[in-house]
Amino acid sequence: MEKAEAEKLGRLGREAPSLGGDAPLSGVTPSLRGSHKLGFVTSINTPGRSVTSHDTERSAARWAVITAHAIPWVLLPQCLWRLPFAFDFTMGMIDPNAPAMPPWYWAVPYVFGISVLSEALALLSLGLVRRWGEVAPAWLPIIGGKHIPPLAAIIPATIGGLTLTAVSGTFLLAWLHVPGFHALGYTNGWWELLAKACIGFGALWGPMVLALTYAYYVRRCRPA
């Protein structure tokens, strides 16, 4: 009985469907040979595709992709914290030397515009890990579809990252009571904690941009 079953399994293997020839279909192999059960193990081999490449010439590092996507979220608390100032609500901040707020029809567009512009600049960081950071989008006039020289992205990103780090660094030095840096007061500790949490997250923007810029330089300027 077992011999007849084995012969039957052998015939099934020889008569397996073929693709354009006499070779059996690859990836389909009989299993449990010699038993009373017949099973087939199938495998599909597809070319590996990196989820981090975003069609760049060389795949961006996963940590760089995560960092680029995190920057707008890291900056968002500070942008939201700033909005009440447009309506002359100072979020518990005490600044005797602060100038009077302009009328709302000037203050609202100004404060909201700063927050929107900040988020827009943060989104530009995605260009350091996306294809449009290497080849200009086709819809752009004159430069559309042309390759972007690496330095055209590296120099502005480096200057921006250093500037942001320097500006945010002054807040951190003031909070640490470093001589020569003055921190603003707050009506109570809760308002101070909220401000430091929101501004503190925003202080990561500059160092994160510098890290992305270095990864962009390595990817585009160093040999693979």
Side-chain angles (χ1 to χ4, degrees):
M1 181 69 181
E2 292 183 357
K3 181 178 180 181
E5 191 71 40
E7 292 176 355
K8 182 179 178 181
L9 290 173
R11 288 197 303 272
L12 286 174
R14 291 191 299 269
E15 296 171 2
S18 59
L19 292 178
D22 296 329
L25 180 64
S26 61
V28 181
T29 58
S31 64
L32 301 177
R33 185 178 298 274
S35 69
H36 295 287
K37 295 181 180 180
L38 178 63
F40 290 94
V41 178
T42 61
S43 63
I44 300 176
N45 298 322
T46 56
R49 185 175 182 180
S50 173
V51 296
T52 62
S53 64
H54 296 292
D55 296 328
T56 52
E57 292 182 0
R58 290 169 58 186
S59 295
R62 180 176 292 274
W63 69 263
V65 175
I66 294 174
T67 301
H69 283 82
I71 287 178
W73 296 102
V74 166
L75 192 61
L76 184 60
Q78 183 177 355
C79 292
L80 295 177
W81 174 84
R82 185 189 298 120
L83 298 182
F85 286 86
F87 305 98
D88 204 16
F89 186 78
T90 60
M91 301 292 286
M93 185 181 294
I94 300 174
D95 185 5
N97 299 321
M101 285 294 293
W104 67 268
Y105 49 83
W106 287 109
V108 170
Y110 174 73
V111 175
F112 276 69
I114 291 178
S115 292
V116 171
L117 180 61
S118 298
E119 283 295 322
L121 292 174
L123 290 172
L124 283 179
S125 301
L126 292 172
L128 297 174
V129 296
R130 294 281 183 90
R131 178 67 173 171
W132 53 269
E134 299 178 0
V135 179
W139 53 267
L140 288 176
I142 303 176
I143 65 171
K146 296 182 179 180
H147 280 267
I148 299 174
L151 290 180
I154 293 173
I155 292 176
T158 302
I159 294 174
L162 291 174
T163 302
L164 292 169
T165 302
V167 171
S168 59
T170 59
F171 290 100
L172 298 178
L173 293 175
W175 291 344
L176 295 174
H177 305 289
V178 175
F181 296 90
H182 174 67
L184 297 176
Y186 293 86
T187 55
N188 59 57
W190 292 108
W191 284 118
E192 182 177 5
L193 179 62
L194 177 63
K196 287 183 176 181
C198 295
I199 297 174
F201 272 111
L204 297 174
W205 186 11
M208 292 172 78
V209 169
L210 292 176
L212 280 179
T213 304
Y214 175 75
Y216 181 88
Y217 160 76
V218 170
R219 194 177 77 248
R220 295 206 63 194
C221 299
R222 288 188 178 179

